[in-house]
Amino acid sequence: MKVSREQMGENRRRILREASRLFRERGFAAVTVADVMKAAGQTHGGFYGHFRSKDDLIAATVADTLSGELAAMADIEAWTDGYLSPLHRENPAHGCPTASLAGLMRQQTPEARAAMAHGLDVHIRRFADRLAGEDDAGRRRAAIGRWSAMVGAVILSRAVGDAALADEMLTETRAWIAAQPPHAPAPADPAPATPVAAKKDARA
């Protein structure tokens, strides 16, 4: 029986959803195409109607997963509290894809890394839009610093076998973010040297 276009689209979304969950939980190498298709309730042979290869699936999953990462950012402070929490740390399969997957991307295809780069850039721009201030460059700098601290704290908290240290990574990062002053304008680029100044520098 021929599958409708609508059903094909739903099947693809289900595959991407399950691939995202499994990749975040186990990593790319430990998850097979058969694992993903079984979790999606579909046959292994049906995979190739949607993706050329596992590498193609990884790139598509990264792009799809990162596109929905900002859904809960309306209240940025509450979102930050939830992000830097033990509950998030202990549930990587349903948590931030950047924290779960970024460390695995170096070995992936250029297409997958491009998807990560695009998703990260969009995330930073939207993050910056939610920060106070009128200086675009300063907000972007603050967003990059804050996001890097948050992701790093979750990665390190998951990495250590010391529960007290793991919790401290989260609570102290949250306290550090809260203590940051409103961002200052980004420093201006240095003015280009005039020909006279350049000659003086050359003689010095």
Side-chain angles (χ1 to χ4, degrees), residues 17 19-26 61-62 64-72 79 82-102 116 123 147 151 154-155 158:
R17 185 166 58 247
S20 177
R21 179 180 64 82
L22 291 171
F23 289 151
R24 282 183 277 181
E25 184 176 30
R26 305 182 197 170
T61 301
V62 170
D64 182 72
T65 304
L66 291 177
S67 68
E69 192 169 12
L70 289 176
W79 175 75
Y83 192 96
L84 293 171
S85 69
L87 180 63
H88 179 214
R89 178 189 64 213
E90 300 302 329
N91 290 275
H94 302 287
C96 170
T98 304
S100 295
L101 303 178
M116 175 62 78
H123 184 97
W147 183 231
V151 172
V154 171
I155 291 173
R158 287 174 177 165

Side-chain angles (χ1 to χ4, degrees), residues 15-37:
I15 293 168
L16 288 171
R17 185 166 58 247
E18 293 303 322
S20 177
R21 179 180 64 82
L22 291 171
F23 289 151
R24 282 183 277 181
E25 184 176 30
R26 305 182 197 170
F28 298 125
V31 176
T32 66
V33 167
D35 292 333
V36 172
M37 297 305 284

